[in-house]
Amino acid sequence: MKDIVIKLQKLNKEISVMESCTGGYIANAITNIEGASFVFKFGAVTYSNDYKIKMGVSEEVISLYSVYSMECANSMSKSIACYADSSYGIGVTGKLNREDVNNNTGDNNRVYISIYDRENDLFINKELVVTKESRLECKDEVLKEVIILLNKHIKASN
């Protein structure tokens, strides 16, 4: 994450996140890096459907595709980038080793990662099946994938 923060700083770009299953883990990883205050604009943990909607995710997206979908992750990443006026938005939703009684669709251990590049109106997507036993280890798997995706995109676009 340190490399990403440094790259974003050099490029004068900002990042924001809307996380569900990772519960702020990505925002925490970013803010653990010295200099993050120059690039990190906003982080939201939206566990509930209501708060996804309040933060800009369309009720129609949730109704049509469920909260466990790439469409929802894309809506999360774009909504947070626009809300925070940041260059990049990250949206993460999925299930980590548990059933969701409020949303009974979607596969267990499947996570949807979306990075929205606002300048280019472009989504970078990854569907990931987490393999670890503990929630913390699953969150770390997701974080590692986010770092890989961000590094590749930032390098390719600049």
Side-chain angles (χ1 to χ4, degrees):
M1 193 54 79
K2 183 177 180 180
D3 290 343
I4 290 169
V5 169
I6 291 168
K7 286 176 190 174
L8 291 174
Q9 224 175 331
K10 286 180 183 174
L11 296 168
N12 200 27
K13 306 252 181 185
E14 309 89 13
I15 195 163
S16 297
V17 300
M18 187 185 308
E19 302 177 64
S20 186
C21 61
T22 48
Y25 196 77
I26 297 165
N28 182 59
I30 294 168
T31 59
N32 282 340
I33 306 302
E34 192 170 323
S37 60
F38 295 108
V39 301
F40 186 72
K41 298 222 26 200
F42 190 77
V45 177
T46 55
Y47 258 27
S48 73
N49 295 3
D50 289 343
Y51 277 89
K52 285 176 182 66
I53 293 165
K54 286 180 183 187
M55 290 302 301
V57 175
S58 159
E59 284 184 67
E60 186 177 353
V61 165
I62 293 172
S63 175
L64 285 174
Y65 304 103
S66 97
V67 291
Y68 303 122
S69 66
M70 192 56 73
E71 290 82 2
C72 185
N74 283 342
S75 187
M76 291 168 72
S77 66
K78 186 171 184 175
S79 294
I80 201 67
C82 294
Y83 178 84
D85 193 26
S86 57
S87 311
Y88 298 102
I90 298 172
V92 178
T93 187
K95 293 184 186 181
L96 302 179
N97 292 329
R98 77 180 237 346
E99 293 289 331
D100 180 351
V101 295
N102 296 314
N103 298 288
N104 57 7
T105 61
D107 298 336
N108 288 339
N109 301 322
R110 187 170 306 275
V111 177
Y112 301 91
I113 301 168
S114 174
I115 299 169
Y116 181 66
D117 177 338
R118 200 163 138 227
E119 185 178 305
N120 296 300
D121 192 28
L122 174 72
F123 292 98
I124 298 93
N125 294 329
K126 177 75 179 206
E127 194 173 314
L128 176 69
V129 176
V130 292
T131 60
K132 304 299 183 193
E133 292 290 322
S134 77
R135 289 182 64 78
L136 184 59
E137 289 174 310
C138 289
K139 289 177 183 186
D140 205 46
E141 278 186 276
V142 174
L143 175 64
K144 287 175 183 170
E145 200 59 49
V146 166
I147 290 169
I148 290 167
L149 292 170
L150 271 171
N151 267 323
K152 280 183 187 175
H153 180 70
I154 292 169
K155 185 177 181 180
S157 64
N158 294 298

